[in-house]
Amino acid sequence: MSDSESGFTPNEMMTIAASRALKNDDVCFVGIGAPSAACNVARLTHAPDITLIYESGTIGTAPQVLPLSIGDGELCDTAVTTVSVPEMFRYWLQGGRISIGFLGAAQLDKFGNINTTVIGGYPHPKTRLPGGGGAPEIATSSKEIYITMAQSKRGMVETIDFFTSFGHGEGGDHRKRLGIETAGPTLLITDLAIWKPDPVTKEFTVVSLHPGVSRAEVQATCGWTVKFTDALEETPAPTALELKTLRDLQARTKAAHAGTGKGKAA
């Protein structure tokens, strides 16, 4: 088998690109869904010693299947320890012990501000979303924030409908002016590209296109005028190991949630 397999989906590319951003010594506060998949692929490949923390208080989790929610028993069963939610937020998160907060978004603007509350006006929304949970605190107290989401004009918008989690606000030094000392969003990984904030304006800028993706495709699925770095790169395609790890994890998860009893790794 070659180093890279030619057949992979945009979502697989997104998850694997996101996983590569994590380091072995990271302490990562993990969101459910795409962030959880990326973090666990990292743990199962190049970052076996990464510390994964979920909002329910589980520390050092090593799930064999992806959790359905922060209350999934798989997280507690595989954790090094489980602490109370107040301890999780006050001691671990607000105490500055989290290196990476990994979040998803229903809506995102170009400065990394996140909406997970409502689509439309708050009093009478078109859609009511799950809400912020711990994300607002994660966004301000983690040393850095990584965001992952599939691109669409509905999701990546000029102005979010509700301000759930603070990114870079109005851009520039807005975080610092509000007394927020953490770095905020430093990386956005979508199914088409990798983005990083401009050092001065803090507007997300495309630094790498995934294999086979054009600038036009990125712009067509984004609600603001996209900026591209002058030194635009191509994201390395997934390796055979990365794809196998992700697909095996997804297969175990599907089997476990279907109740077949075949979800656990041997």
Side-chain angles (χ1 to χ4, degrees):
M1 188 176 291
S2 63
D3 288 342
S4 175
E5 293 193 1
S6 59
F8 54 87
T9 68
N11 277 341
E12 287 175 332
M13 182 72 259
M14 175 176 70
T15 300
I16 289 168
S19 76
R20 292 170 178 165
L22 295 165
K23 303 184 298 295
N24 196 49
D25 60 352
D26 273 329
V27 178
C28 187
F29 209 125
V30 188
I32 294 297
S36 184
C39 290
N40 281 286
V41 169
R43 177 181 62 81
L44 293 167
T45 53
H46 67 277
D49 298 324
I50 191 172
T51 301
L52 301 185
I53 295 178
Y54 287 77
E55 191 178 330
S56 51
T58 55
I59 299 174
T61 51
Q64 290 299 310
V65 300
L66 295 174
L68 289 171
S69 72
I70 61 169
D72 196 312
E74 177 73 9
L75 297 176
C76 191
D77 288 347
T78 62
V80 172
T81 188
T82 302
V83 301
S84 68
V85 172
E87 179 179 334
M88 170 61 61
F89 279 86
R90 182 65 190 96
Y91 179 83
W92 287 90
L93 181 60
Q94 295 174 347
R97 293 172 173 83
I98 306 298
S99 60
I100 303 294
F102 217 135
L103 301 175
Q107 277 188 335
L108 180 77
D109 70 17
K110 61 185 175 183
F111 295 120
N113 302 304
I114 292 174
N115 171 24
T116 54
T117 303
V118 293
I119 302 298
Y122 188 82
H124 303 286
K126 297 176 182 177
T127 304
R128 191 168 293 280
L129 303 168
E137 288 78 17
I138 295 168
T140 54
S141 296
S142 299
K143 293 177 182 178
E144 296 181 61
I145 295 297
Y146 294 170
I147 303 168
T148 186
M149 65 184 296
Q151 286 196 209
S152 71
K153 283 193 171 181
R154 183 172 61 179
M156 298 176 72
V157 296
E158 186 70 38
T159 304
I160 55 178
D161 291 339
F162 189 91
F163 219 109
T164 309
S165 302
F166 195 85
H168 292 290
E170 299 169 355
D173 65 348
H174 198 182
R175 284 178 75 89
K176 190 171 184 179
R177 284 187 280 118
L178 293 178
I180 304 171
E181 297 298 329
T182 51
T186 58
L187 191 66
L188 167 64
I189 308 99
T190 73
D191 53 340
L192 300 180
I194 296 174
W195 312 55
K196 291 183 178 180
D198 179 89
V200 177
T201 68
K202 301 303 181 182
E203 179 178 342
F204 271 126
T205 302
V206 176
V207 298
S208 181
L209 294 175
H210 297 335
V213 175
S214 68
R215 295 183 184 221
E217 287 177 279
V218 174
Q219 183 60 78
T221 52
C222 184
W224 65 81
T225 300
V226 177
K227 293 184 178 179
F228 298 85
T229 185
D230 292 337
L232 191 62
E233 299 180 352
E234 180 175 277
T235 311
T239 65
L241 174 61
E242 289 170 330
L243 279 174
K244 184 178 188 304
T245 301
L246 174 58
R247 290 169 179 173
D248 286 351
L249 176 61
Q250 291 172 330
R252 291 196 302 272
T253 300
K254 183 177 180 180
H257 294 164
T260 65
K262 298 178 181 179
K264 301 291 184 178

